[in-house]
């Protein structure tokens, strides 16, 4: 059985509700997952929640709830948002699930047995806010610590450490030899720069259970729980292991509790093809995660793809500033595809972005309502009006334009250039709208001598709408399925192979046209 294309998102902390940044990451990952499915590949798309650690424990306490109840309640909300975003994930991992816990404990047992861990006392500084130890290197020139660390306390305690020293050289060599491993390139250069200029400190991978109860206990020392990042990163491997992925299962061997050993070999998933993450967590994914995997004798993921950060009106998005964008509210007002379109169209993966309501609304009106929506509505309505909704004989008007747009969209989807792919698709939308203006079918319809010409124009337009639906499916799955339904096609346009000119047959009867993106009175909204 060939390996599935395995793609993941970061798993979100469950200490609040989802905002634009979380939703953006999930949408771009979904577009890539759908694109690979549409290219005919088998795909496994994993997303989920990071439920352990001090932040969650404190957030639960603040609401007077025990952490598990707190997580269970929020997990319902986060999973509902995944559905609202129309994500096509195959599994939703929660780090409090027994299947995950069993794998984390097996990993700890294996690492301890194979000499990757040691126990030592640390005395120094600790940022509770970031759940991390600080060294003198983290001090500002005036000797203080940056306010971003929150309150920094002096601390002396024993913990378990992971030996990172043996790993630095091979990791640098790996990143140098595999330019695709960290993308975009500028992020790869940052990681290489960091590794060349710093010697990695051994990583503290536990917290005393007396200080932090909300974590996974070490199987060989119940006085300690795992560090939240160690726990969280392992989600990418724990789900494949639980599903019987042969590589992950073999690496855990007898360390995995027999109760959690899959009874049959599952589909091959590991290594992950892409971990999609935000730029703030690259160090964990491009440095610590590969090192952990190497220690476990597991192959490395093929790519860490780091996206940029969104701001709102030029400011950091934060609860205290009150400028958090709730994706669900936007979707309720504008529709899920308007949200998915805006975030993928506005930003190339990697770049930072700035959400303004005005730019969201302007793109909706120009590109969705007046662009795509208008094209589909005019084309289908004219076919209804002039030909009773039946396709005329095949023609090749617009064929070349559609084939060019298809070729570039497919190449861009393969390269995960989502913004560029949308530009190619809108090249065809604009060309077809312009073609209506140039050929003026409403004039042709008045002249009986032009009947054959009108046939050619109508076939070209309607077939172009069909091809657009196929190209758009990864981005706008619900609208593209609606276009297919309006074309009288009762399936999803989910295979790029169907973007072949001439697929609609003469005589085929289309369904009822209806507005895909109703125009909004923007002047009334923004007086
Ligand atoms: N739980 C960790 C990730 C563990 S992955 C093994 C975490 N959670 S988070 O909730 O803080 O962030 C989840 C993802 O959302 C991260 O990839 C982060 O970069 C992304 N974003 C959070 N705010 C964002 C923006 N304002 N803009 C874009 N993405 C942002 O980190």
């Amino acid at each position: 059985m060939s390996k599935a294309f395995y793609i993941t998102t970061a798993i979100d902390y469950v200490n609040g509700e989802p905002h634009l940044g979380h939703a953006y990451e999930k949408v771009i990952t979904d577009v890539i997952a759908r694109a690979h499915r549409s290219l005919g590949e088998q795909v496994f798309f994993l997303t989920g929640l990071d439920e352990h650690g001090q932040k969650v424990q404190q957030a639960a306490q603040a609401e007077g709830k025990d952490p598990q109840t707190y997580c269970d309640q929020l997990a319902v909300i986060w999973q509902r948002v995944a559905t609202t975003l129309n994500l096509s994930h195959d599994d939703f991992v929660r780090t409090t699930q027994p299947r995950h816990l069993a794998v984390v404990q097996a990993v700890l047992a294996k690492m301890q047995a194979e000499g990757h861990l040691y126990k030592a006392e640390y005395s120094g500084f600790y940022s509770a806010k970031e759940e991390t130890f600080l060294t003198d290197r983290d001090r500002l020139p005036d000797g203080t610590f940056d306010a971003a660390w929150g309150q920094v306390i002096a601390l002396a305690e024993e913990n378990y450490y992971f030996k990172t020293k043996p790993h630095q050289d091979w990791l640098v060599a790996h990143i140098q030899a595999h330019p695709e491993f960290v993308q975009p390139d500028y992020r790869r250069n940052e990681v290489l720069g960091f590794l060349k200029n710093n010697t990695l400190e051994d990583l503290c991978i536990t917290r005393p259970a007396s200080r932090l109860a909300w974590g996974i206990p070490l199987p060989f020392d119940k006085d300690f729980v795992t560090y939240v990042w160690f726990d969280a990163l392992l989600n990418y491997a724990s789900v494949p292991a639980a599903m019987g992925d042969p590589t992950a299962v073999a690496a855990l061997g007898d360390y995995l509790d027999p109760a959690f050993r899959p009874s049959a070999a599952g589909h091959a998933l590991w290594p992950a093809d892409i971990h999609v993450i935000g730029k703030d967590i690259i160090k964990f994914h491009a440095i610590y995660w590969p090192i952990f995997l190497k220690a476990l004798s597991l192959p490395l993921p093929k790519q860490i793809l780091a996206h940029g950060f969104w701001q709102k009106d030029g400011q950091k998005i934060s609860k205290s500033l009150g400028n958090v964008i709730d994706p669900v509210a936007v979707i309720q007002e504008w529709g899920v595809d308007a949200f998915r379109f805006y975030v993928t169209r506005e930003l190339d993966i990697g770049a930072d972005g700035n959400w303004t309501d005005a730019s969201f609304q302007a793109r909706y009106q120009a590109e969705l309502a007046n662009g795509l929506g208008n094209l589909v509505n005019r084309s289908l309505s004219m076919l209804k009006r002039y030909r009773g909704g039946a396709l005329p004989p095949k023609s090749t008007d617009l064929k070349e334009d559609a084939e060019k747009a298809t070729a570039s969209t497919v190449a861009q989807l393969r390269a995960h250039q989502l913004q560029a792919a949308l530009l190619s698709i809108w090249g065809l939308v604009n060309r077809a709208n312009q073609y209506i203006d140039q050929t003026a079918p409403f004039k042709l319809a008045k002249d009986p001598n032009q009947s054959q010409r009108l046939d050619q124009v109508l076939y070209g337009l309607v077939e172009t709408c069909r091809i657009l639906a196929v190209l758009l499916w990864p981005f706008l799955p619900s609208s593209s399925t609606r276009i297919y339904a309006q074309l009288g096609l009762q399936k999803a346009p989910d295979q790029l192979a169907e973007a072949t000119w001439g697929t609609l047959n003469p005589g085929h009867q289309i369904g009822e046209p209806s507005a895909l993106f109703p125009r909004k009175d923007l002047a009334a909204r923004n007086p």
Side-chain angles (χ1 to χ4, degrees), residues 10-13 19 21-22 24-26 50 229 232-233 235-236 277-281 285 307-310 317:
I11 50 171
D12 302 318
Y13 288 126
H19 64 57
H22 305 124
Y24 168 65
E25 176 176 288
K26 296 349 172 230
D50 188 357
W229 270 101
L233 287 163
N235 90 86
Y236 303 134
I277 55 155
K279 64 177 184 180
D280 57 328
I281 56 176
H285 284 80
H307 62 75
F309 255 51
W310 281 92
I317 299 176

Side-chain angles (χ1 to χ4, degrees), residues 294-312:
K294 185 79 160 184
L296 288 169
S297 307
L298 272 170
L300 306 192
K302 293 185 194 150
Q303 183 167 92
I304 314 293
L305 181 58
H307 62 75
F309 255 51
W310 281 92
Q311 295 192 326
K312 166 92 199 296

Side-chain angles (χ1 to χ4, degrees), residues 31 35 408-418 421 471 474-475 496:
V31 175
S408 44
T409 305
V410 168
Q412 285 149 343
L413 284 175
R414 283 191 197 282
H416 309 137
Q417 293 166 351
L418 309 187
L471 301 182
F475 299 91
L496 278 159

Side-chain angles (χ1 to χ4, degrees), residues 182 187 190-191 277-287 306:
V182 182
R187 298 287 172 222
E190 275 172 27
V191 173
I277 55 155
K279 64 177 184 180
D280 57 328
I281 56 176
I282 290 184
K283 199 169 149 189
F284 289 104
H285 284 80
I287 298 179

Side-chain angles (χ1 to χ4, degrees), residues 77-336:
I77 297 176
W78 283 80
Q79 276 173 286
R80 206 181 296 137
V81 173
T83 308
T84 305
L85 291 168
N86 207 355
L87 302 186
S88 60
H89 52 296
D90 297 282
D91 205 332
F92 191 93
V93 62
R94 298 178 54 195
T95 52
T96 52
Q97 288 165 339
R99 61 175 180 170
H100 174 73
L101 197 128
V103 170
V104 173
Q105 291 200 321
V107 164
L108 287 162
K110 177 170 171 170
M111 284 184 175
Q112 171 76 346
E114 295 185 354
H116 295 287
L117 310 180
Y118 65 91
K119 193 176 182 183
E121 176 165 294
Y122 166 88
S123 70
F125 300 96
Y126 185 70
S127 151
K129 179 163 170 258
E130 294 304 323
E131 299 185 43
T132 196
F133 294 95
L134 302 176
T135 65
D136 283 328
R137 278 210 310 249
D138 298 304
R139 287 182 191 277
L140 297 172
D142 67 0
T144 62
F145 291 100
D146 193 290
W149 296 114
Q151 193 193 7
V152 176
I153 52 168
L155 196 79
E157 68 183 25
E158 280 201 303
N159 268 309
Y160 283 83
Y161 288 81
F162 177 91
K163 296 177 196 165
T164 50
K165 303 243 156 58
H167 296 283
Q168 189 148 351
D169 291 345
W170 72 254
L171 182 59
V172 170
H174 180 81
I175 299 174
Q176 278 171 335
H178 297 89
E180 74 292 352
F181 181 61
V182 182
Q183 279 297 313
D185 275 338
Y186 46 91
R187 298 287 172 222
R188 172 173 172 266
N189 293 337
E190 275 172 27
V191 173
L192 276 177
F194 177 86
L195 283 170
K196 283 182 187 159
N197 295 322
N198 296 277
T199 304
L200 287 177
E201 307 254 349
D202 287 348
L203 184 72
C204 178
I205 60 144
T206 61
R207 299 292 180 258
S210 55
R211 187 158 67 76
L212 175 74
W214 189 234
I216 299 180
L218 300 199
F220 47 85
D221 192 339
K222 301 286 181 229
D223 291 338
F224 293 88
V225 299
T226 43
Y227 172 42
V228 65
W229 270 101
F230 189 88
D231 169 355
L233 287 163
L234 279 167
N235 90 86
Y236 303 134
S238 67
V239 171
M243 295 184 58
D245 166 72
T247 310
V249 171
L252 299 175
D254 291 342
Y255 292 103
L256 188 59
D257 180 340
F260 288 94
R261 270 180 226 157
S263 51
H267 202 101
L269 297 176
W270 195 260
D273 289 85
I274 308 186
H275 294 310
V276 179
I277 55 155
K279 64 177 184 180
D280 57 328
I281 56 176
I282 290 184
K283 199 169 149 189
F284 289 104
H285 284 80
I287 298 179
Y288 293 115
W289 179 227
I291 291 179
F292 294 156
L293 288 166
K294 185 79 160 184
L296 288 169
S297 307
L298 272 170
L300 306 192
K302 293 185 194 150
Q303 183 167 92
I304 314 293
L305 181 58
H307 62 75
F309 255 51
W310 281 92
Q311 295 192 326
K312 166 92 199 296
D313 300 326
Q315 280 190 306
K316 186 175 181 243
I317 299 176
S318 86
K319 270 193 207 160
S320 48
L321 286 173
N323 63 352
V324 175
I325 294 161
D326 172 6
V328 175
V330 176
I331 290 169
Q332 272 164 357
E333 187 173 358
W334 298 84
V336 60

